[in-house]
Amino acid sequence: MGKIVISSNVTLDGVVRDPDGEEGFERGGWFHQFVGGKDLEDWVARETEEALAAAALLLGGRTSEWFAARMLSRDGADVRVSPEWANRVKSIPKYVVSSTLEDPQWSNATVLNGDVVKEISELKRKVDGEILVYGSYQLVPTLLEQDLVDELRLVVFPVVLGIGQRVFDETSDKKALNLVSTRKIGDGLVFYTYEFEKN
């Protein structure tokens, strides 16, 4: 049985929008502004360990295109991550949720373009292990609303933006979680792991 894990970098006030500053958001670029040295080294180590332990990736169409454009054009040479992480992301089975995408560009990728809830429920039944969700902030609210998420992992950056899309912008009701662990990453980041309570 698969376990869906949302893994995200967020600001202290929960903003996930434009961490690298490439979207043109006026307060974007916070990832590079508030991480460096030991923070970055430990962040890369955590990110790599997580990817190596995962069984699959679940991505929204835009997030899949974003990763593919950067990783496939540079042979995975993203300066923020290790070659080991990049190679794993390129080789791991990927499931891309999109009603318009025809060519996911990746090898080892399957497009899910039907009933999202049904297809992801089936995916959880057939995959054995963790199914990581990176980015995908149009898909994430659906996963949360339908109680398909099992675990939430947040790396919190020491900055408050005040505006911008948050990981929990759209929920119709309260969502109860249990804190599993918390630890410091480098000198300024904090990593939280939560499990969702199931009814």
PDB file of all heavy atoms in Angstrom, residues 151-179:
ATOM      1  N   GLU A 151       0.954  11.896   4.912  1.00  0.00           N
ATOM      2  CA  GLU A 151       2.020  12.560   5.675  1.00  0.00           C
ATOM      3  C   GLU A 151       2.365  13.899   5.041  1.00  0.00           C
ATOM      4  O   GLU A 151       2.286  14.059   3.824  1.00  0.00           O
ATOM      5  CB  GLU A 151       3.248  11.647   5.717  1.00  0.00           C
ATOM      6  CG  GLU A 151       4.310  12.064   6.715  1.00  0.00           C
ATOM      7  CD  GLU A 151       5.360  10.978   6.906  1.00  0.00           C
ATOM      8  OE1 GLU A 151       5.026   9.908   7.461  1.00  0.00           O
ATOM      9  OE2 GLU A 151       6.509  11.196   6.483  1.00  0.00           O
ATOM     10  N   LEU A 152       2.756  14.839   5.888  1.00  0.00           N
ATOM     11  CA  LEU A 152       3.163  16.174   5.456  1.00  0.00           C
ATOM     12  C   LEU A 152       4.556  16.444   6.002  1.00  0.00           C
ATOM     13  O   LEU A 152       4.801  16.291   7.197  1.00  0.00           O
ATOM     14  CB  LEU A 152       2.176  17.209   6.001  1.00  0.00           C
ATOM     15  CG  LEU A 152       2.490  18.676   5.744  1.00  0.00           C
ATOM     16  CD1 LEU A 152       2.355  19.001   4.260  1.00  0.00           C
ATOM     17  CD2 LEU A 152       1.549  19.559   6.555  1.00  0.00           C
ATOM     18  N   ARG A 153       5.472  16.829   5.106  1.00  0.00           N
ATOM     19  CA  ARG A 153       6.837  17.179   5.510  1.00  0.00           C
ATOM     20  C   ARG A 153       7.108  18.611   5.073  1.00  0.00           C
ATOM     21  O   ARG A 153       7.030  18.921   3.891  1.00  0.00           O
ATOM     22  CB  ARG A 153       7.849  16.234   4.871  1.00  0.00           C
ATOM     23  CG  ARG A 153       7.678  14.798   5.321  1.00  0.00           C
ATOM     24  CD  ARG A 153       8.636  13.867   4.621  1.00  0.00           C
ATOM     25  NE  ARG A 153       8.329  12.486   4.961  1.00  0.00           N
ATOM     26  CZ  ARG A 153       8.696  11.432   4.238  1.00  0.00           C
ATOM     27  NH1 ARG A 153       9.424  11.617   3.126  1.00  0.00           N
ATOM     28  NH2 ARG A 153       8.375  10.212   4.594  1.00  0.00           N
ATOM     29  N   LEU A 154       7.434  19.445   6.026  1.00  0.00           N
ATOM     30  CA  LEU A 154       7.671  20.857   5.749  1.00  0.00           C
ATOM     31  C   LEU A 154       9.064  21.263   6.194  1.00  0.00           C
ATOM     32  O   LEU A 154       9.450  21.008   7.342  1.00  0.00           O
ATOM     33  CB  LEU A 154       6.657  21.730   6.498  1.00  0.00           C
ATOM     34  CG  LEU A 154       5.177  21.512   6.199  1.00  0.00           C
ATOM     35  CD1 LEU A 154       4.324  22.386   7.108  1.00  0.00           C
ATOM     36  CD2 LEU A 154       4.875  21.806   4.745  1.00  0.00           C
ATOM     37  N   VAL A 155       9.823  21.894   5.302  1.00  0.00           N
ATOM     38  CA  VAL A 155      11.061  22.559   5.682  1.00  0.00           C
ATOM     39  C   VAL A 155      10.713  24.041   5.754  1.00  0.00           C
ATOM     40  O   VAL A 155      10.342  24.651   4.749  1.00  0.00           O
ATOM     41  CB  VAL A 155      12.201  22.316   4.677  1.00  0.00           C
ATOM     42  CG1 VAL A 155      13.443  23.099   5.092  1.00  0.00           C
ATOM     43  CG2 VAL A 155      12.513  20.820   4.578  1.00  0.00           C
ATOM     44  N   VAL A 156      10.801  24.607   6.964  1.00  0.00           N
ATOM     45  CA  VAL A 156      10.361  25.979   7.202  1.00  0.00           C
ATOM     46  C   VAL A 156      11.556  26.926   7.154  1.00  0.00           C
ATOM     47  O   VAL A 156      12.562  26.727   7.852  1.00  0.00           O
ATOM     48  CB  VAL A 156       9.635  26.099   8.554  1.00  0.00           C
ATOM     49  CG1 VAL A 156       9.185  27.533   8.802  1.00  0.00           C
ATOM     50  CG2 VAL A 156       8.419  25.157   8.586  1.00  0.00           C
ATOM     51  N   PHE A 157      11.415  27.952   6.302  1.00  0.00           N
ATOM     52  CA  PHE A 157      12.463  28.952   6.109  1.00  0.00           C
ATOM     53  C   PHE A 157      12.191  30.167   7.003  1.00  0.00           C
ATOM     54  O   PHE A 157      11.031  30.544   7.196  1.00  0.00           O
ATOM     55  CB  PHE A 157      12.504  29.381   4.636  1.00  0.00           C
ATOM     56  CG  PHE A 157      13.148  28.372   3.738  1.00  0.00           C
ATOM     57  CD1 PHE A 157      12.593  27.112   3.574  1.00  0.00           C
ATOM     58  CD2 PHE A 157      14.323  28.667   3.075  1.00  0.00           C
ATOM     59  CE1 PHE A 157      13.194  26.167   2.754  1.00  0.00           C
ATOM     60  CE2 PHE A 157      14.932  27.732   2.254  1.00  0.00           C
ATOM     61  CZ  PHE A 157      14.368  26.476   2.085  1.00  0.00           C
ATOM     62  N   PRO A 158      13.230  30.788   7.546  1.00  0.00           N
ATOM     63  CA  PRO A 158      13.072  31.862   8.531  1.00  0.00           C
ATOM     64  C   PRO A 158      12.726  33.217   7.898  1.00  0.00           C
ATOM     65  O   PRO A 158      13.510  34.166   7.961  1.00  0.00           O
ATOM     66  CB  PRO A 158      14.430  31.894   9.231  1.00  0.00           C
ATOM     67  CG  PRO A 158      15.392  31.496   8.159  1.00  0.00           C
ATOM     68  CD  PRO A 158      14.656  30.472   7.327  1.00  0.00           C
ATOM     69  N   VAL A 159      11.553  33.287   7.285  1.00  0.00           N
ATOM     70  CA  VAL A 159      11.108  34.540   6.676  1.00  0.00           C
ATOM     71  C   VAL A 159       9.583  34.546   6.654  1.00  0.00           C
ATOM     72  O   VAL A 159       8.957  33.496   6.493  1.00  0.00           O
ATOM     73  CB  VAL A 159      11.677  34.710   5.243  1.00  0.00           C
ATOM     74  CG1 VAL A 159      11.275  33.553   4.343  1.00  0.00           C
ATOM     75  CG2 VAL A 159      11.249  36.027   4.629  1.00  0.00           C
ATOM     76  N   VAL A 160       9.002  35.719   6.834  1.00  0.00           N
ATOM     77  CA  VAL A 160       7.556  35.915   6.726  1.00  0.00           C
ATOM     78  C   VAL A 160       7.314  36.806   5.502  1.00  0.00           C
ATOM     79  O   VAL A 160       7.874  37.894   5.415  1.00  0.00           O
ATOM     80  CB  VAL A 160       6.988  36.580   8.002  1.00  0.00           C
ATOM     81  CG1 VAL A 160       5.525  36.947   7.813  1.00  0.00           C
ATOM     82  CG2 VAL A 160       7.176  35.670   9.209  1.00  0.00           C
ATOM     83  N   LEU A 161       6.489  36.329   4.566  1.00  0.00           N
ATOM     84  CA  LEU A 161       6.211  37.101   3.356  1.00  0.00           C
ATOM     85  C   LEU A 161       4.930  37.921   3.462  1.00  0.00           C
ATOM     86  O   LEU A 161       4.798  38.954   2.820  1.00  0.00           O
ATOM     87  CB  LEU A 161       6.118  36.181   2.137  1.00  0.00           C
ATOM     88  CG  LEU A 161       7.366  35.384   1.764  1.00  0.00           C
ATOM     89  CD1 LEU A 161       7.144  34.646   0.455  1.00  0.00           C
ATOM     90  CD2 LEU A 161       8.603  36.264   1.676  1.00  0.00           C
ATOM     91  N   GLY A 162       3.969  37.446   4.224  1.00  0.00           N
ATOM     92  CA  GLY A 162       2.729  38.195   4.406  1.00  0.00           C
ATOM     93  C   GLY A 162       1.682  37.945   3.339  1.00  0.00           C
ATOM     94  O   GLY A 162       0.491  38.019   3.608  1.00  0.00           O
ATOM     95  N   ILE A 163       2.103  37.653   2.116  1.00  0.00           N
ATOM     96  CA  ILE A 163       1.176  37.339   1.028  1.00  0.00           C
ATOM     97  C   ILE A 163       1.757  36.199   0.207  1.00  0.00           C
ATOM     98  O   ILE A 163       2.941  35.896   0.300  1.00  0.00           O
ATOM     99  CB  ILE A 163       0.926  38.556   0.092  1.00  0.00           C
ATOM    100  CG1 ILE A 163       2.242  39.030  -0.532  1.00  0.00           C
ATOM    101  CG2 ILE A 163       0.216  39.679   0.814  1.00  0.00           C
ATOM    102  CD1 ILE A 163       2.054  40.059  -1.645  1.00  0.00           C
ATOM    103  N   GLY A 164       0.899  35.579  -0.608  1.00  0.00           N
ATOM    104  CA  GLY A 164       1.352  34.500  -1.477  1.00  0.00           C
ATOM    105  C   GLY A 164       0.604  33.212  -1.191  1.00  0.00           C
ATOM    106  O   GLY A 164       0.070  33.015  -0.101  1.00  0.00           O
ATOM    107  N   GLN A 165       0.573  32.336  -2.177  1.00  0.00           N
ATOM    108  CA  GLN A 165      -0.135  31.064  -2.035  1.00  0.00           C
ATOM    109  C   GLN A 165       0.468  30.227  -0.928  1.00  0.00           C
ATOM    110  O   GLN A 165       1.684  30.099  -0.813  1.00  0.00           O
ATOM    111  CB  GLN A 165      -0.082  30.290  -3.358  1.00  0.00           C
ATOM    112  CG  GLN A 165      -0.865  28.992  -3.310  1.00  0.00           C
ATOM    113  CD  GLN A 165      -0.836  28.244  -4.625  1.00  0.00           C
ATOM    114  OE1 GLN A 165      -0.080  28.579  -5.525  1.00  0.00           O
ATOM    115  NE2 GLN A 165      -1.663  27.227  -4.744  1.00  0.00           N
ATOM    116  N   ARG A 166      -0.418  29.642  -0.125  1.00  0.00           N
ATOM    117  CA  ARG A 166      -0.004  28.789   0.982  1.00  0.00           C
ATOM    118  C   ARG A 166      -0.397  27.348   0.688  1.00  0.00           C
ATOM    119  O   ARG A 166      -1.327  27.095  -0.055  1.00  0.00           O
ATOM    120  CB  ARG A 166      -0.648  29.269   2.286  1.00  0.00           C
ATOM    121  CG  ARG A 166      -0.070  30.598   2.755  1.00  0.00           C
ATOM    122  CD  ARG A 166      -0.897  31.204   3.901  1.00  0.00           C
ATOM    123  NE  ARG A 166      -0.220  32.322   4.508  1.00  0.00           N
ATOM    124  CZ  ARG A 166      -0.181  33.552   4.013  1.00  0.00           C
ATOM    125  NH1 ARG A 166      -0.791  33.826   2.880  1.00  0.00           N
ATOM    126  NH2 ARG A 166       0.463  34.506   4.650  1.00  0.00           N
ATOM    127  N   VAL A 167       0.280  26.423   1.326  1.00  0.00           N
ATOM    128  CA  VAL A 167       0.005  25.010   1.092  1.00  0.00           C
ATOM    129  C   VAL A 167      -1.418  24.652   1.525  1.00  0.00           C
ATOM    130  O   VAL A 167      -2.044  23.772   0.954  1.00  0.00           O
ATOM    131  CB  VAL A 167       1.073  24.110   1.764  1.00  0.00           C
ATOM    132  CG1 VAL A 167       0.932  24.066   3.263  1.00  0.00           C
ATOM    133  CG2 VAL A 167       1.043  22.707   1.183  1.00  0.00           C
ATOM    134  N   PHE A 168      -1.968  25.362   2.492  1.00  0.00           N
ATOM    135  CA  PHE A 168      -3.318  25.076   2.970  1.00  0.00           C
ATOM    136  C   PHE A 168      -4.279  26.218   2.671  1.00  0.00           C
ATOM    137  O   PHE A 168      -5.123  26.556   3.485  1.00  0.00           O
ATOM    138  CB  PHE A 168      -3.316  24.798   4.474  1.00  0.00           C
ATOM    139  CG  PHE A 168      -2.604  23.535   4.841  1.00  0.00           C
ATOM    140  CD1 PHE A 168      -1.456  23.570   5.599  1.00  0.00           C
ATOM    141  CD2 PHE A 168      -3.083  22.316   4.414  1.00  0.00           C
ATOM    142  CE1 PHE A 168      -0.793  22.400   5.942  1.00  0.00           C
ATOM    143  CE2 PHE A 168      -2.429  21.137   4.740  1.00  0.00           C
ATOM    144  CZ  PHE A 168      -1.284  21.182   5.503  1.00  0.00           C
ATOM    145  N   ASP A 169      -4.193  26.814   1.502  1.00  0.00           N
ATOM    146  CA  ASP A 169      -5.091  27.910   1.158  1.00  0.00           C
ATOM    147  C   ASP A 169      -6.549  27.481   1.062  1.00  0.00           C
ATOM    148  O   ASP A 169      -7.435  28.257   1.342  1.00  0.00           O
ATOM    149  CB  ASP A 169      -4.669  28.551  -0.177  1.00  0.00           C
ATOM    150  CG  ASP A 169      -3.783  29.760   0.040  1.00  0.00           C
ATOM    151  OD1 ASP A 169      -3.673  30.216   1.185  1.00  0.00           O
ATOM    152  OD2 ASP A 169      -3.212  30.251  -0.941  1.00  0.00           O
ATOM    153  N   GLU A 170      -6.800  26.272   0.628  1.00  0.00           N
ATOM    154  CA  GLU A 170      -8.176  25.865   0.356  1.00  0.00           C
ATOM    155  C   GLU A 170      -8.507  24.538   1.023  1.00  0.00           C
ATOM    156  O   GLU A 170      -8.217  23.481   0.496  1.00  0.00           O
ATOM    157  CB  GLU A 170      -8.393  25.726  -1.155  1.00  0.00           C
ATOM    158  CG  GLU A 170      -8.145  27.006  -1.917  1.00  0.00           C
ATOM    159  CD  GLU A 170      -8.233  26.804  -3.416  1.00  0.00           C
ATOM    160  OE1 GLU A 170      -8.952  25.893  -3.851  1.00  0.00           O
ATOM    161  OE2 GLU A 170      -7.566  27.560  -4.127  1.00  0.00           O
ATOM    162  N   THR A 171      -9.141  24.598   2.183  1.00  0.00           N
ATOM    163  CA  THR A 171      -9.690  23.404   2.803  1.00  0.00           C
ATOM    164  C   THR A 171     -11.103  23.740   3.264  1.00  0.00           C
ATOM    165  O   THR A 171     -11.357  24.847   3.748  1.00  0.00           O
ATOM    166  CB  THR A 171      -8.855  22.920   4.016  1.00  0.00           C
ATOM    167  OG1 THR A 171      -8.769  23.958   4.984  1.00  0.00           O
ATOM    168  CG2 THR A 171      -7.457  22.514   3.597  1.00  0.00           C
ATOM    169  N   SER A 172     -12.005  22.810   3.091  1.00  0.00           N
ATOM    170  CA  SER A 172     -13.398  23.068   3.457  1.00  0.00           C
ATOM    171  C   SER A 172     -13.653  22.835   4.934  1.00  0.00           C
ATOM    172  O   SER A 172     -14.688  23.223   5.456  1.00  0.00           O
ATOM    173  CB  SER A 172     -14.333  22.182   2.627  1.00  0.00           C
ATOM    174  OG  SER A 172     -14.095  20.816   2.928  1.00  0.00           O
ATOM    175  N   ASP A 173     -12.696  22.201   5.607  1.00  0.00           N
ATOM    176  CA  ASP A 173     -12.877  21.903   7.023  1.00  0.00           C
ATOM    177  C   ASP A 173     -11.513  21.783   7.689  1.00  0.00           C
ATOM    178  O   ASP A 173     -10.479  21.797   7.023  1.00  0.00           O
ATOM    179  CB  ASP A 173     -13.658  20.589   7.182  1.00  0.00           C
ATOM    180  CG  ASP A 173     -14.335  20.464   8.546  1.00  0.00           C
ATOM    181  OD1 ASP A 173     -14.148  21.370   9.393  1.00  0.00           O
ATOM    182  OD2 ASP A 173     -15.037  19.468   8.756  1.00  0.00           O
ATOM    183  N   LYS A 174     -11.532  21.662   8.997  1.00  0.00           N
ATOM    184  CA  LYS A 174     -10.289  21.471   9.744  1.00  0.00           C
ATOM    185  C   LYS A 174      -9.668  20.124   9.394  1.00  0.00           C
ATOM    186  O   LYS A 174     -10.389  19.167   9.087  1.00  0.00           O
ATOM    187  CB  LYS A 174     -10.574  21.520  11.246  1.00  0.00           C
ATOM    188  CG  LYS A 174     -10.979  22.884  11.753  1.00  0.00           C
ATOM    189  CD  LYS A 174     -11.327  22.826  13.220  1.00  0.00           C
ATOM    190  CE  LYS A 174     -12.821  22.720  13.335  1.00  0.00           C
ATOM    191  NZ  LYS A 174     -13.371  22.896  14.637  1.00  0.00           N
ATOM    192  N   LYS A 175      -8.354  20.062   9.439  1.00  0.00           N
ATOM    193  CA  LYS A 175      -7.622  18.824   9.193  1.00  0.00           C
ATOM    194  C   LYS A 175      -6.721  18.569  10.395  1.00  0.00           C
ATOM    195  O   LYS A 175      -5.826  19.361  10.690  1.00  0.00           O
ATOM    196  CB  LYS A 175      -6.756  18.924   7.929  1.00  0.00           C
ATOM    197  CG  LYS A 175      -7.523  19.207   6.656  1.00  0.00           C
ATOM    198  CD  LYS A 175      -8.285  17.994   6.182  1.00  0.00           C
ATOM    199  CE  LYS A 175      -9.042  18.293   4.902  1.00  0.00           C
ATOM    200  NZ  LYS A 175      -9.909  17.188   4.501  1.00  0.00           N
ATOM    201  N   ALA A 176      -6.971  17.475  11.082  1.00  0.00           N
ATOM    202  CA  ALA A 176      -6.180  17.144  12.270  1.00  0.00           C
ATOM    203  C   ALA A 176      -4.928  16.369  11.870  1.00  0.00           C
ATOM    204  O   ALA A 176      -4.980  15.470  11.035  1.00  0.00           O
ATOM    205  CB  ALA A 176      -7.017  16.323  13.245  1.00  0.00           C
ATOM    206  N   LEU A 177      -3.794  16.759  12.462  1.00  0.00           N
ATOM    207  CA  LEU A 177      -2.522  16.094  12.192  1.00  0.00           C
ATOM    208  C   LEU A 177      -1.835  15.750  13.511  1.00  0.00           C
ATOM    209  O   LEU A 177      -2.077  16.392  14.538  1.00  0.00           O
ATOM    210  CB  LEU A 177      -1.598  16.998  11.371  1.00  0.00           C
ATOM    211  CG  LEU A 177      -2.072  17.399   9.983  1.00  0.00           C
ATOM    212  CD1 LEU A 177      -2.767  18.741  10.027  1.00  0.00           C
ATOM    213  CD2 LEU A 177      -0.913  17.447   9.018  1.00  0.00           C
ATOM    214  N   ASN A 178      -0.969  14.755  13.457  1.00  0.00           N
ATOM    215  CA  ASN A 178      -0.147  14.386  14.604  1.00  0.00           C
ATOM    216  C   ASN A 178       1.310  14.668  14.275  1.00  0.00           C
ATOM    217  O   ASN A 178       1.792  14.258  13.216  1.00  0.00           O
ATOM    218  CB  ASN A 178      -0.305  12.893  14.928  1.00  0.00           C
ATOM    219  CG  ASN A 178      -1.707  12.549  15.357  1.00  0.00           C
ATOM    220  OD1 ASN A 178      -2.286  13.220  16.196  1.00  0.00           O
ATOM    221  ND2 ASN A 178      -2.268  11.503  14.772  1.00  0.00           N
ATOM    222  N   LEU A 179       1.996  15.366  15.179  1.00  0.00           N
ATOM    223  CA  LEU A 179       3.412  15.646  14.980  1.00  0.00           C
ATOM    224  C   LEU A 179       4.210  14.368  15.179  1.00  0.00           C
ATOM    225  O   LEU A 179       4.111  13.709  16.208  1.00  0.00           O
ATOM    226  CB  LEU A 179       3.877  16.718  15.975  1.00  0.00           C
ATOM    227  CG  LEU A 179       5.348  17.117  15.891  1.00  0.00           C
ATOM    228  CD1 LEU A 179       5.663  17.773  14.552  1.00  0.00           C
ATOM    229  CD2 LEU A 179       5.706  18.067  17.041  1.00  0.00           C
TER     230      LEU A 179
END
